[in-house]
Amino acid sequence: KWSPDHLVLTQVKEAFSAIIEGVKEQIPDEKFNDLFRIKITRSQSCINLKYESKVIYDVFYWEVCLEENKSLIELLSNFNNNYEEIDNLYVPRKGKQKGIIKTEIKELPNVVIIILNRYKFDNNMSIVKIINNNLKIPSQCNLNIALQNEKEEL
C-alpha cells in the first residue's frame, strides 16, 4: 500500500533525475562529469573460489539510506566498508556460489549531490516510517573520508 509520503518522495527523486538529465544536455560532457559524476565500482567476489568481477559505472547523485542514531558523517565514511553476502552469485563454469557484493566510491566530483532516504516502508503495517528524525547536517564535511578505504587507479 502506497502512502502519500512515499509517493511524494518517489516523485521528487524522479523530478531530480529529470533536472540532472536536462542540465547534462546543456553543457559539454567533460564539464558535466567534472561537476557531478561520482565514479562507483561494484565488485562481486566468490568466497570459495578466486573469482572477482568488477564493473565501473557513473552516478550523478549519492543515495544514502539513513539509519537510526547515526550521523551523516558516519554514514558517508562507512559507505565503502559495507558489503552484502549472497548465496547465489553466478560464477562462470562453476554455477551458483556464495559470494560478496560490494559497492565503493572511487572518485568524487566538484559538486556532490546527496539524496537522504529518511523513510522506509513497513510491509507489516503498510505505512511509511521515519528512520531518522534528528539528522544533523554539518556546515562543512570532508568527503575524502569516504574514499580512504581503498585507493586504486581507474
Side-chain angles (χ1 to χ4, degrees), residues 16-144:
F16 176 76
S17 294
I19 290 168
I20 286 290
E21 285 301 316
V23 170
K24 188 175 184 180
E25 293 174 5
Q26 301 298 316
I27 60 177
D29 285 346
E30 187 175 318
K31 187 171 184 177
F32 182 84
N33 288 340
D34 287 344
L35 284 172
F36 299 110
R37 180 183 62 200
I38 301 171
K39 197 168 280 277
I40 302 277
T41 300
R42 182 175 171 96
S43 62
Q44 299 179 340
S45 56
C46 180
I47 296 170
N48 302 324
L49 304 170
K50 291 185 178 182
Y51 171 80
E52 185 173 38
S53 167
K54 285 189 178 186
V55 176
I56 298 171
Y57 61 98
D58 299 334
V59 296
F60 299 102
Y61 54 85
W62 188 354
E63 195 165 350
V64 177
C65 295
L66 298 183
E67 297 175 32
E68 292 182 52
N69 303 320
K70 288 213 175 177
S71 71
L72 181 61
I73 302 296
E74 287 175 293
L75 292 168
L76 297 178
S77 63
N78 290 333
F79 186 85
N80 279 357
N81 295 326
N82 291 328
Y83 63 90
E84 177 186 356
E85 289 185 17
I86 60 171
D87 291 327
N88 58 352
L89 173 69
Y90 179 76
V91 177
R93 295 183 293 278
K94 299 291 183 179
K96 292 181 180 179
Q97 303 287 325
K98 285 191 175 202
I100 294 174
I101 296 177
K102 187 170 185 173
T103 304
E104 298 178 311
I105 293 177
K106 294 298 183 183
E107 185 179 305
L108 291 170
N110 294 330
V111 177
V112 178
I113 300 168
I114 300 173
I115 295 179
L116 301 174
N117 289 334
R118 294 184 53 226
Y119 301 89
K120 78 176 179 183
F121 187 74
D122 184 332
N123 290 323
N124 296 332
M125 299 180 71
S126 295
I127 61 170
V128 174
K129 290 185 173 181
I130 295 176
I131 299 170
N132 187 333
N133 209 16
N134 299 315
L135 180 69
K136 293 180 182 171
I137 299 176
S139 59
Q140 294 182 356
C141 179
N142 180 3
L143 293 180
N144 287 327

